[in-house]
Amino acid sequence: FYANDAIFGLIAYNYANLDGSYAITREKLVNLIMKNKLSYKLGDNLIEGWTYYGNSIDPDLTGAALSALAPYKDTNSDVKKSINNVVNSLAVLEDENGYVPGPYGISSESLSFVNIGLAAVGVNPEAGNFKKSKGDLVAALVSFKGTNGQYKHALDGKNDPLATEQALRAFISLKNFKTSGIYNYYSSS
């Protein structure tokens, strides 16, 4: 079992609006996600989030976790507290240009998922603690723009289909966030 199994499982569960009696329940998935959260000190700051491996959080998986947990923040006090701590952690990790480095460095996909996750929990990625001296999370994502409307994985890279798809999801999330104040790309009606 890996944290991403539970995170993407819960995203699928939420999106499909599954009801009924299943061996794997939403509650079990939420509990697995919460149990596998990584916490550590960085200077005076407590950093919380999720990772694929290692001892530092991965902003990509952490953004996905925010999206997965978003529907439960108003009904589960532990989830709400965790979301608040994770949002604060992402703001601490964000550099002055708006980039949030992860174990693999800086990538557009990570920024896309951070923007998607923040929109899902109703946090503006262009304001507050995310507005840095030289940029914010949205400006950082835009800096990965390639040619012909596509996006790059790395700043010095080439157009990348996955990076482009994830950037599109992020921009859809941000557009809807601006009109409603909250938007979870991975929810459905």
Side-chain angles (χ1 to χ4, degrees):
F1 163 78
Y2 295 99
N4 60 311
D5 296 333
I7 291 166
F8 288 103
L10 187 58
I11 284 173
Y13 216 113
N14 293 340
Y15 191 80
N17 291 312
L18 293 177
D19 289 324
S21 179
Y22 297 98
I24 299 175
T25 64
R26 291 173 195 235
E27 183 179 325
K28 285 182 183 179
L29 291 171
V30 168
N31 290 337
L32 281 169
I33 293 168
M34 296 294 290
K35 178 182 167 190
N36 285 281
K37 183 176 60 178
L38 181 65
S39 298
Y40 57 93
K41 291 288 274 183
L42 181 64
D44 292 335
N45 298 296
L46 176 65
I47 303 298
E48 293 187 17
W50 290 267
T51 190
Y52 292 103
Y53 76 94
N55 56 6
S56 63
I57 71 166
D58 185 311
D60 198 330
L61 191 61
T62 298
L66 288 175
S67 290
L69 293 172
Y72 311 99
K73 69 181 179 66
D74 294 331
T75 58
N76 183 319
S77 61
D78 291 334
V79 168
K80 183 176 186 168
K81 180 180 176 188
S82 183
I83 286 172
N84 290 336
N85 291 342
V86 168
V87 168
N88 290 333
S89 297
L90 288 169
V92 167
L93 294 174
E94 179 190 15
D95 70 18
E96 291 307 308
N97 295 305
Y99 300 110
V100 182
Y104 310 104
I106 296 168
S107 75
S108 66
E109 294 93 339
S110 289
L111 285 167
S112 290
F113 244 131
V114 168
N115 279 292
I116 291 166
L118 292 173
V121 297
V123 174
N124 188 343
E126 296 179 290
N129 291 338
F130 292 105
K131 182 74 176 162
K132 304 295 183 171
S133 63
K134 297 179 183 176
D136 56 54
L137 293 169
V138 177
L141 177 58
V142 170
S143 73
F144 285 87
K145 187 173 182 186
T147 58
N148 300 320
Q150 297 183 61
Y151 275 74
K152 304 176 287 186
H153 164 75
L155 287 169
D156 59 354
K158 299 176 184 178
N159 291 343
D160 182 90
L162 180 59
T164 301
E165 178 185 341
Q166 286 194 317
L168 176 61
R169 291 177 190 181
F171 292 128
I172 290 169
S173 295
L174 293 166
K175 178 181 184 259
N176 286 291
F177 169 81
K178 288 183 182 220
T179 56
S180 64
I182 191 166
Y183 180 78
N184 192 344
Y185 184 88
Y186 297 102
S187 65
S188 72
S189 57

